[in-house]
Amino acid sequence: MSKLKVCIIGLKGSISTVLISGILQSVRNKVKPGALLTDLPVFDRLGMVKLEDIEFGGFDIRDVDMYTSAIENDANNILRLDSDLDIKDKLNAIPVFKGITMNSGDAITALAGEDASLQEKSMINTVNQIRGTLRNFKGSDNCVVVNLASTEENVELSETHSTLEKFELAIENNSKEISPCLLYAYAALKEKIPYVNFTPSIGSEIPALCELAQVNKVPHAGKDGKTGETLVKTALADLFVIRNLDVNIWYGANILGNMDGKILDNSKNASTKIESKKSVLKKCLGYEADSKVRIEYMKSMDDNKVAWDHILFTGFCGAKMMMNFTWFGIDSFLAAPLVIDLVRLINLANNKGDCGIIDEFAVFFKSPMGTDLNSLVRQYQNIEEWAIKHYTNEAENA
Amino acid sequence: MSKLKVCIIGLKGSISTVLISGILQSVRNKVKPGALLTDLPVFDRLGMVKLEDIEFGGFDIRDVDMYTSAIENDANNILRLDSDLDIKDKLNAIPVFKGITMNSGDAITALAGEDASLQEKSMINTVNQIRGTLRNFKGSDNCVVVNLASTEENVELSETHSTLEKFELAIENNSKEISPCLLYAYAALKEKIPYVNFTPSIGSEIPALCELAQVNKVPHAGKDGKTGETLVKTALADLFVIRNLDVNIWYGANILGNMDGKILDNSKNASTKIESKKSVLKKCLGYEADSKVRIEYMKSMDDNKVAWDHILFTGFCGAKMMMNFTWFGIDSFLAAPLVIDLVRLINLANNKGDCGIIDEFAVFFKSPMGTDLNSLVRQYQNIEEWAIKHYTNEAENA
Amino acid sequence: MSKLKVCIIGLKGSISTVLISGILQSVRNKVKPGALLTDLPVFDRLGMVKLEDIEFGGFDIRDVDMYTSAIENDANNILRLDSDLDIKDKLNAIPVFKGITMNSGDAITALAGEDASLQEKSMINTVNQIRGTLRNFKGSDNCVVVNLASTEENVELSETHSTLEKFELAIENNSKEISPCLLYAYAALKEKIPYVNFTPSIGSEIPALCELAQVNKVPHAGKDGKTGETLVKTALADLFVIRNLDVNIWYGANILGNMDGKILDNSKNASTKIESKKSVLKKCLGYEADSKVRIEYMKSMDDNKVAWDHILFTGFCGAKMMMNFTWFGIDSFLAAPLVIDLVRLINLANNKGDCGIIDEFAVFFKSPMGTDLNSLVRQYQNIEEWAIKHYTNEAENA
Amino acid sequence: MSKLKVCIIGLKGSISTVLISGILQSVRNKVKPGALLTDLPVFDRLGMVKLEDIEFGGFDIRDVDMYTSAIENDANNILRLDSDLDIKDKLNAIPVFKGITMNSGDAITALAGEDASLQEKSMINTVNQIRGTLRNFKGSDNCVVVNLASTEENVELSETHSTLEKFELAIENNSKEISPCLLYAYAALKEKIPYVNFTPSIGSEIPALCELAQVNKVPHAGKDGKTGETLVKTALADLFVIRNLDVNIWYGANILGNMDGKILDNSKNASTKIESKKSVLKKCLGYEADSKVRIEYMKSMDDNKVAWDHILFTGFCGAKMMMNFTWFGIDSFLAAPLVIDLVRLINLANNKGDCGIIDEFAVFFKSPMGTDLNSLVRQYQNIEEWAIKHYTNEAENA
């Protein structure tokens, strides 16, 4: 199997540095990193790209070297990077490209280093620059673009996003309605590179980009990685459905302290994510319960996340009962293996000729594109069937 | 649709009086009791027996009238029985038959009123008495026997239980290896009445009784109703499997205060239930995590139950994370609707000609007979398919 | 001991109807209601007014009879009022006076029934009406006024509130800066009736009213009853101080469904309460931890309240550790006994000649007037000493 | 101020290696370790021994070097000892003396390395050997002995322990009723060295040793460090007392994975600790609530400890309410600073001429010797008064 180049938007962020450092250590130490779906036999037998054959690069807007960022991001010192100088060299050798800040909102612009971000004045030049960078990075290898950048402010869908033609015209006109995540997605799909949106930002979900993916026969998937509270929610909600118990209240408080949390402390950016988290419940239950989701930024949490959910439900003859759960996750370590799974799987999809939205990848996302299915087990059954189908086709073609 | 006679073993217990009072009130007030799977369209269209067409009766060993017991059992006063004299009359009109105490162990024998339990000296006479009572109660109607009695001490399987012939011989010899739940199950199946075991006691699971069910073409199902901690466990465990997260510890503390808890405070009776609760995890995960389950009787809990579970798991690159949940259930109100579902469904199965263990009913049980499938969602998919199959057959035959 | 007339502002609210119904039932059934500090020997020996010697009356702005309101307020049916017709008669015989809505903000005005609230056009007439009502209600008995009304919007302190003279001038000028709770407190103190503010509203805390209390030699106390999350906080915070553990984060989510919660769902009213809850922590710890308090109105909670607190702290050599607690309270049942304690105690204080703010009553309040002491145990020691002092004086004078 | 020699029984255990490593790093890095009561001004002004003036040594029965043990004990890698070679040298230079296994029970004997434990045949020789070692270690400096060894099996008090004379006779007779912790305590007190018992073992609590401490005018204190669940319990219980709320149930599950947990997994050793934890509640509340305490050893917890407590209580008019708390502690890091406080304080007490049980040190212990006071705040007030008294005396004498 040939090499896979993974181009990460938000290369210096927590998920990215944890995932890259973890893979580099695993390959060096010849151990499995764990927590990979694609290591399970039903997926592995499809011929997944090997971890040692993955190469990383990406875009970022911050002035900090990869190693320093990686140490800061792993606040719990799980990877013990401070005493791993071999990793220092490898991390700092990874190609970093200047990122886009144009139209990205105040919270994100505040993070940007002047020399670290693209300063093109026209949007079309910016896009062309990004496309050239991608083409160059890809070379003749397999390649995937993944969006791991901070959540953008909510984009209001309009005519601009409705067709590829209007979208391309808007780029030429330097439209304010086009945010960085749209430009990256456009550039990737234009270059026929599979694209994964792991963030709550709009990414490739707009009609114009779905159209482009179809035209160019490229697979894409998203959005918003399902790593914590929502993961539990989509496993637990089925219980209430199956027992025909009426959920009255589902309240969730999420406390986090990393960059993701800091950006979400800005209410414009948070609304994107809260919507993503809330709509899940209705889709799982089939009705609207009284539900609230809070995202609280409290710096001392670092990369740790605590979510507390309170569920009040009504059973037989009106009996009121409760369930609470508390989830203590380390966000980047939950997200990293999902990203690896996704790049392996979408690369495989591309090689098998799948294109457009791959809705079988819903199991990885809080707001899965192309489907309303949110039940975790049923999502898993879908991707398992997808894997079995490709395996069987291959066997038949062999 | 004709009447259904439901014969409950443990008629004066919490689950029984809550379920009967709840159904009587719902029918009178013309409201749905809620929390019934069989009210969902996919089941309901199969022609379920109507709640107003169910009649109750049963066995018990205690000296207390039904109404008094019902008030005590509903310690949270959810049904407001104390001011419902109409229900008093209806409850006290329900036929109560003397129960068996022979070989039931000290904890249970201590509950028995002398005049309220069968005092036959030979086991065969006892069985014949039970059979006569059942025949009489059933008359020409549909009938189902449900075991809701307190958990018995663990029965050690031996030759005695291995074939129908040896079992019947052992009855004639007044064997110490035959406990009341076995006698009731035997009597029911002998009378060709479908049998449901909602308790952790052995019930109809022994080879001899499985043989009898096949010979007599009667359906049976069990065992141990899945109402609380285990219900959550079988919904949540899939999450760890699907994310390939390694569960290191799964600890569960269950605190309860009703008669069920009191009997389980006797370690011989508890071991039956703890085994039932623990083996579930291994079946869900596919490997043995370090797991403990505690059942604690603390009287002031009354009918309320609190379960706290602590789960420690390992993710990407060895990162340790945790999840806790707390379940605040009212045991009898969680169990009652499951029992109604089961009697409706097994009566349907019987009328459709299904016999032997109905393993599609696994969704209701902690230790489902006839299958190792413990994942809640997948169990539900099985029973849904079973319902669809019967509906389609019916449509084709029509 | 003579009678005590208790005049409640917010007579039809949850705390009020629970407390009156509970006392009436306790007196009738000759049982102690429980949860009263004043039943402990150290207080009781001071000669507390007996429960049977308390008579109730009060102000409200809503169009509903007392019994109906009492049933609605006790959503958990703890007092079983629906089948207690004796209580119905007693509740509906309690004198209800028309309340003030002038300057009370939109959230509260929305509750008012037209015929149930005072419609005087001038503020001075309103005050005189209230004073007359109080004088009349009191007669020649002991009397106490207690504020249990919904939380008002925050009052910004200004010149108007700084002296009694300016305050009385402002009343004459129908000032917008004078809200109902200020008028009630003024009326009570003017009539030399002890006044207790159990709500987060400003009440008698403004300098003008403190001055009036001193001039008229009346005792008053407040504010904001300490019933749930803050109660726990002021018991637990000492632990971190005593172990010299550094609290980094203290986050609290409070979910409630009663009228109190509904009013607090209005952000202007909530800010008053959140401030009250937050400032406590700094006073307990002696430094500013990163702290947030959320109050969430979710209707299905009814009178139940769940608070979840997440505490992150640093110990020896930077070790990070956590504590979580969950509090499941029934708000009105936690508040009611405190109100009874307070009316008994302030009546005693008045009879003993104590006047001005009684800061020894801090143990009952989230924002104790007259002191910065928030540690629960130390507050208790203060009131205990106060009781011992009065007991000793009495003994000496005897 | 002169040097302080601290002799630790159980030198290679978690608490010991965490405390020594932490102090060595703090002194070297010139930072405060944090979490020390004795760093608060009210204590510090008494002239505490400086951290850099403390020297360590001690007894152990295991075959492992200090540094290796220290790394294993700090499973969360908080101190990052693996890359701190300076500490390696310092730890391995600490004098380790052979420990006693005689009469220590199977669970503990199983830990002993043959060459690492004293093999004297007679008890009197063993004692003399220990005394010689202590005398030698102390030299002309201040010295304190602290028991941090694994919990012993419960010792049944008998005549043997009732007077010093009988105890010394029993030593000569190699009595089976004398366990290692008694011998160490005896040796220390005999050498006039202050003794602290931080474990649930009996230590210096027997009448014979209290007599010896009085005769020799040595201070001693104990027992069982209050670090986690019990710490919270003694802060929270006051809340229920102060609000006159009736505690019906207080259930506590403690899950831990270190050596302490492993030893406690042996029921004989656990009973000592569970008794210590349970009796606290009655002393705090003044009555017997239905209480259970579970200690569960689950290896993957390593040095982390989770305690979950469920409290059910009754308030006004019988209203049932609940509180739960979860404590996520790192045991050794909670214990270590208490041990440092204790050695500093008992050394001070000794220098000031205090002798016998110092009951003012109760704030540090689950089962404080010499007092029934368990309320955390009140215990703190006692030690604060003790410090103020000594400070005042000093000022007066100056």
Side-chain angles (χ1 to χ4, degrees), chain A residues 12 60-64 96-99 111-119:
Chain A
K12 296 173 182 173
D60 210 291
I61 57 174
R62 279 170 296 172
D63 267 336
V64 58
V96 188
F97 316 121
K98 292 184 182 184
L111 304 173
E114 200 163 318
D115 292 343
S117 56
L118 276 176
Q119 302 292 335

Side-chain angles (χ1 to χ4, degrees), chain C residues 275-293:
Chain C
E275 244 354 276
S276 181
K277 287 172 85 81
K278 265 192 66 169
S279 65
V280 167
L281 190 65
K282 190 182 169 183
K283 284 174 191 152
C284 286
L285 295 177
Y287 56 90
E288 193 92 66
D290 188 3
S291 172
K292 282 190 193 170
V293 177

Side-chain angles (χ1 to χ4, degrees), chain A residues 14-124:
Chain A
S14 289
I15 304 179
S16 173
T17 63
V18 163
L19 116 71
I20 299 174
S21 310
I23 293 301
L24 292 174
Q25 288 184 338
S26 298
V27 168
R28 181 190 61 198
N29 304 341
K30 301 199 166 79
V31 295
K32 286 192 180 278
L36 291 177
L37 201 69
T38 45
D39 274 352
L40 297 181
V42 72
F43 298 98
D44 188 45
R45 65 182 182 181
L46 276 163
M48 290 291 148
V49 65
K50 289 187 184 133
L51 299 180
E52 56 263 42
D53 293 329
I54 299 180
E55 282 183 17
F56 298 96
F59 296 88
D60 210 291
I61 57 174
R62 279 170 296 172
D63 267 336
V64 58
D65 70 280
M66 281 293 286
Y67 181 63
T68 306
S69 194
I71 287 180
E72 279 173 18
N73 290 336
D74 180 17
N76 296 297
N77 197 26
I78 291 168
L79 301 173
R80 305 197 178 187
L81 296 173
D82 51 353
S83 55
D84 191 337
L85 296 181
D86 166 56
I87 291 295
K88 177 177 181 175
D89 294 342
K90 286 176 180 159
L91 283 176
N92 284 342
I94 289 173
V96 188
F97 316 121
K98 292 184 182 184
I100 320 172
T101 54
M102 197 176 256
N103 297 343
S104 65
D106 296 342
I108 290 175
T109 311
L111 304 173
E114 200 163 318
D115 292 343
S117 56
L118 276 176
Q119 302 292 335
E120 295 292 334
K121 291 217 172 99
S122 83
M123 197 173 270
I124 189 72

Side-chain angles (χ1 to χ4, degrees), chain A residues 23 39 42-43 78 91 120 123 126 132 139 154 157 200 204 209 238 245 266 306 322 325 353 357 373 398:
Chain A
I23 293 301
D39 274 352
V42 72
F43 298 98
I78 291 168
L91 283 176
E120 295 292 334
M123 197 173 270
T126 304
N154 209 0
L157 287 189
S204 63
L209 294 176
D238 274 325
L245 296 164
N266 182 304
V306 178
M322 294 187 294
F325 70 81
I357 296 171
L373 185 70

Side-chain angles (χ1 to χ4, degrees), chain C residues 338-384:
Chain C
L338 304 189
V339 174
I340 301 167
D341 282 333
L342 277 163
V343 298
R344 281 174 148 184
L345 288 163
I346 207 162
N347 179 48
L348 185 94
N350 194 38
N351 292 339
K352 299 283 183 199
D354 287 3
C355 68
I357 296 171
I358 313 293
D359 59 26
E360 290 90 348
F361 294 179
V363 75
F364 297 107
F365 299 114
K366 274 204 268 295
S367 300
M369 281 161 57
T371 175
D372 269 345
L373 186 70
N374 280 275
S375 156
L376 185 71
V377 174
R378 292 167 201 263
Q379 288 173 332
Y380 177 75
Q381 290 172 330
N382 275 5
I383 194 170
E384 201 179 41

Side-chain angles (χ1 to χ4, degrees), chain A residues 317, chain B residues 21 25 28 67 70-71 74-88 333, chain C residues 71-72 74-83:
Chain A
C317 292
Chain B
S21 310
Q25 288 183 338
R28 180 190 62 199
Y67 181 63
I71 287 180
D74 180 18
N76 296 298
N77 197 27
I78 291 168
L79 301 173
R80 306 198 178 184
L81 296 173
D82 52 353
S83 54
D84 191 338
L85 296 181
D86 166 55
I87 290 294
K88 176 177 182 176
F333 284 77
Chain C
I71 288 180
E72 279 173 17
D74 180 18
N76 296 297
N77 197 27
I78 291 167
L79 301 173
R80 304 197 180 186
L81 297 173
D82 52 353
S83 54

Side-chain angles (χ1 to χ4, degrees), chain A residues 248-251 253 255 265 290-292 294 296-301 306-308 310 312 320 322 324 326 328, chain C residues 248-251 253 255 265 290-292 294 296-302 306 308 310 312 320 322 324 326 328:
Chain A
N248 307 119
I249 289 177
W250 196 310
Y251 176 85
I255 312 177
D265 208 32
D290 188 4
S291 172
K292 280 188 194 173
R294 296 277 179 205
E296 314 280 7
Y297 173 64
M298 301 188 91
K299 201 178 173 326
S300 310
M301 293 300 292
V306 178
W308 174 75
H310 171 66
L312 181 79
K320 297 269 181 194
M322 294 187 294
N324 284 183
T326 327
F328 302 91
Chain C
N248 307 118
I249 288 178
W250 195 310
Y251 176 85
I255 312 178
D265 208 33
D290 188 3
S291 172
K292 282 190 193 170
R294 296 275 179 208
E296 315 280 9
Y297 174 63
M298 301 187 90
K299 201 177 173 328
S300 310
M301 293 300 293
D302 292 322
V306 178
W308 174 76
H310 171 65
L312 180 79
K320 297 269 179 192
M322 295 187 293
N324 285 183
T326 327
F328 302 91

Side-chain angles (χ1 to χ4, degrees), chain D residues 77 176 200 210 212 243 386 389:
Chain D
N77 197 26
K176 291 281 178 208
C210 290
L212 174 57
R243 282 291 184 258
W386 177 87
K389 183 193 71 185

